[in-house]
Amino acid sequence: MKVSKYLMLLLCIGLAIGCKKDLDTPTPEPVDTKEELIRDSIYYYYNLQSLWTEYVPDNRILRTFTANYTSNLSLLNALKGLTPYHAGYAGSIDRFSFLENADGSQLGRSSGVRMDTNTGFGVYFSWHIISETAAAPYVYFVEGGSPAQRAGISRGAILLSLNGDGNMTAPYECQGVGATRSCRVLGSIPGRIDAALDAGTMSLKVRNVNGEEVESSLANETYTIRPILADTVYNGTTKMGYLAFSSFEEVTNSNQNYQDFQRIFQRFETEGIKELIVDMRYNTGGYVHTAQYLANKIIPASGAGKRMFTYQVNANLQPYTVRASSEYDFRPVNFVRNNNLELTKVYFLVTDATASAAELLINVLKPHMKVVLIAEANRTYGKPVGFFGQEIMGGEISLWAASFKTLNSNGDTDYWDGLFVDVPNVYDDVYRNFGDPRENMIARAISESNGSGATGSTLNRSAVARGTASNPSRQTKIGVVNKPAEKNLIK
């Protein structure tokens, strides 16, 4: 009996052990997290699309590389850091690639991916000396279609009050002399302006250049950009057209931008202009095809059908320079002239903010006609690369890798440090509006035009030479409060 009980106990123990062994769950294989997969995708598409793919290890080490980073931005910065060093801005040559979240916010160096609309007040200030002891904020740019533009605020307006506070002048200090002289605004007012520009609403009072005072409450909102700032014709010895626009927004056969440009160039043709001033002093870029459209509007008959530009891409994308796919098209682009003008010369008014599609337009015209660059400094911004968006995880995040360069018909490209100008150091006179022939940069273009003047104004060569010498303080800008969004060459 005792033996049978003992055997029964061993049997039960054996059964229990065997049952437990059968019920053990196998150790699961590690599962990739969504965050890891996103970083793997960033690596994969950067390697596929980047202009500098040869500096990125191939995808066989993908996870080994991405495992070292815990954020998307740190990974992208590491990939950009693999590209060659560029002395011009003391860093890796790829300073442009960036990431965009689904809400449109950007991670990384560049911003302004979203074209055609902007968010904010649309008003931009810079500090100017008004006396030996004080500086004041002036409006140097108002974006078309913005709350500020709709309120009647214009370039050259002085800020009189902000959110009910009428104390808008501030002390400043300067150091150095001549070319090394630099000044900065002191006190709390700069910080108050910064805070107001970041808020949801802002009330302000300004005095426009015509003496009109405008008081308004603005909302920080999304608005449709109207890029054309001014257009006119100057009737001098050589009839000149003038066109100012702030960015290369979408141009289609039906939208407002197309209609506006068509109207302007039709007027230029009707009046028979021979030279053109294109004012892009704050233009930071936009769509490739809009640059193509405007190049075709400007090019003389001698350039019709000739090469506008070619693309340079990496080895992965090289097949698409010959044949297009549903995703990629990098075939050469020729001029398809769309005007009846015979322009002999075009003047571009630029600053060190002029970039991207604006530089493309300048560069493609240079081999085919006389191009003169008139600048506040001595060069433009320097962004010869372009982008197209690559959605990751269904658009949860998008990679915008610098993927292509453009070369004009002479093969000119690589203006990483900007396009160098013909007439440098021409003061951007914010006290006069776009289109005013007395404004320094416009007046200099008119002066350069074979000595011609502008009918209907007192402008002549000696007046241009004098410039604003009678009021030297007007030539002293001592800082920019806020800048328009940096846009990109978008394909």
Side-chain angles (χ1 to χ4, degrees):
M1 178 68 77
K2 289 182 180 180
V3 172
S4 62
K5 286 183 178 180
Y6 180 71
L7 291 173
M8 185 65 70
L9 179 61
L10 289 176
L11 178 62
C12 289
I13 292 172
L15 288 172
I17 293 173
C19 291
K20 183 177 186 302
K21 184 175 181 180
D22 291 339
L23 294 174
D24 279 346
T25 303
T27 302
E29 293 293 326
V31 177
D32 292 329
T33 66
K34 183 175 73 171
E35 290 74 19
E36 288 173 327
L37 293 174
I38 287 175
R39 288 194 285 277
D40 289 350
S41 297
I42 291 169
Y43 185 104
Y44 173 82
Y45 284 112
Y46 187 89
N47 196 356
L48 175 67
Q49 298 170 351
S50 169
L51 191 60
W52 301 278
T53 186
E54 68 268 27
Y55 294 94
V56 181
D58 66 40
N59 287 316
R60 286 175 295 182
I61 72 153
L62 182 151
R63 177 53 66 84
T64 305
F65 192 97
T66 63
N68 295 311
Y69 302 94
T70 58
S71 75
N72 299 330
L73 181 57
S74 63
L75 170 62
L76 178 61
N77 286 338
L79 291 169
K80 291 161 63 175
L82 297 175
T83 64
Y85 179 84
H86 180 67
Y89 37 83
S92 301
I93 198 166
D94 185 4
R95 58 171 173 161
F96 303 113
S97 298
F98 60 96
L99 297 167
E100 182 185 27
N101 292 321
D103 63 2
S105 60
Q106 278 90 44
L107 301 172
R109 172 66 178 82
S110 291
S111 61
V113 172
R114 292 192 171 184
M115 301 296 298
D116 308 311
T117 61
N118 196 8
T119 299
F121 301 109
V123 61
Y124 300 89
F125 297 99
S126 56
W127 285 98
H128 293 256
I129 291 175
I130 59 173
S131 72
E132 292 185 358
T133 59
Y138 280 79
V139 176
Y140 71 90
F141 172 55
V142 177
E143 190 162 55
S146 68
Q149 188 265 336
R150 297 197 304 268
I153 299 169
S154 65
R155 171 179 160 89
I158 183 173
L159 182 61
L160 301 175
S161 70
L162 181 65
N163 294 331
D165 188 343
N167 178 22
M168 286 290 105
T169 60
Y172 66 93
E173 66 176 12
C174 298
Q175 295 178 336
V177 294
T180 63
R181 179 179 167 86
S182 63
C183 304
R184 66 186 185 99
V185 180
L186 306 174
S188 62
I189 296 175
R192 298 209 323 262
I193 297 176
D194 287 340
L197 290 168
D198 289 335
T201 59
M202 174 173 62
S203 63
L204 72 170
K205 182 178 181 180
V206 303
R207 183 186 301 118
N208 286 331
V209 290
N210 61 4
E212 173 194 17
E213 292 191 356
V214 175
E215 191 166 2
S216 182
S217 180
L218 306 180
N220 187 327
E221 62 184 46
T222 299
Y223 57 90
T224 299
I225 297 171
R226 296 291 299 273
I228 296 173
L229 304 172
D231 65 277
T232 191
V233 173
Y234 305 126
N235 294 304
T237 305
T238 301
K239 187 169 284 191
M240 304 180 73
Y242 172 86
L243 169 63
F245 63 106
S246 61
S247 51
F248 288 72
E249 305 300 325
E250 184 79 38
V251 172
T252 68
N253 288 332
S254 60
N255 74 353
Q256 188 64 53
N257 296 329
Y258 174 83
Q259 295 174 33
D260 290 343
F261 279 122
Q262 290 291 107
R263 170 187 57 79
I264 292 166
F265 278 93
Q266 182 59 57
R267 179 190 177 188
F268 290 162
E269 291 182 15
T270 300
E271 299 211 23
I273 67 167
K274 295 302 181 184
E275 297 182 352
L276 176 63
I277 301 171
V278 181
D279 195 334
M280 302 192 297
R281 66 187 77 188
Y282 310 131
N283 194 313
T284 63
Y287 291 114
V288 173
H289 73 79
T290 302
Q292 293 175 222
Y293 166 84
L294 288 170
N296 286 322
K297 282 291 186 186
I298 296 171
I299 192 72
S302 59
K306 293 184 178 179
R307 181 58 45 84
M308 184 186 292
F309 63 88
T310 55
Y311 289 99
Q312 181 177 320
V313 294
N314 67 28
N316 300 322
L317 301 179
Q318 186 65 32
Y320 307 105
T321 61
V322 178
R323 65 180 186 279
S325 73
S326 59
E327 291 182 283
Y328 307 120
D329 184 2
F330 297 110
R331 293 173 296 177
V333 176
N334 292 335
F335 285 100
V336 181
R337 186 170 181 255
N338 185 19
N339 72 79
N340 292 313
L341 296 170
E342 276 304 328
L343 296 176
T344 58
K345 192 180 297 184
V346 58
Y347 302 87
F348 288 100
L349 310 184
V350 299
T351 67
D352 58 6
T354 304
S356 187
E359 293 170 311
L360 172 62
L361 176 61
I362 295 167
N363 198 45
V364 300
L365 291 173
K366 276 189 169 187
H368 303 285
M369 62 189 304
K370 179 64 175 176
V371 172
V372 178
L373 269 63
I374 298 173
E376 187 180 34
N378 64 358
R379 61 186 182 182
T380 59
Y381 180 82
K383 187 187 286 188
V385 288
F387 309 78
F388 55 91
Q390 176 64 57
E391 289 189 352
I392 295 171
M393 283 289 176
E396 185 169 322
I397 194 167
S398 295
L399 170 68
W400 294 78
S403 301
F404 61 86
K405 287 193 302 182
T406 57
L407 296 78
N408 69 14
S409 61
N410 288 340
D412 298 327
T413 186
D414 286 337
Y415 40 87
W416 301 105
D417 301 319
L419 294 167
F420 286 88
V421 307
D422 304 288
V423 185
N425 304 318
V426 180
Y427 173 63
D428 173 20
D429 183 3
V430 304
Y431 297 82
R432 298 194 186 279
N433 216 335
F434 296 103
D436 188 333
R438 298 166 297 175
E439 190 278 326
N440 277 9
M441 299 183 82
I442 300 172
R444 184 56 183 266
I446 295 173
S447 175
E448 290 285 323
S449 178
N450 300 317
S452 65
T455 301
S457 77
T458 59
L459 182 69
N460 56 42
R461 291 184 68 81
S462 60
V464 172
R466 288 195 302 272
T468 56
S470 61
N471 187 357
S473 68
R474 285 178 56 156
Q475 298 192 38
T476 309
K477 178 172 67 178
I478 58 172
V480 173
V481 177
N482 58 325
K483 296 181 179 181
E486 180 184 322
K487 297 182 185 292
N488 295 294
L489 187 62
I490 300 174
K491 185 169 172 59

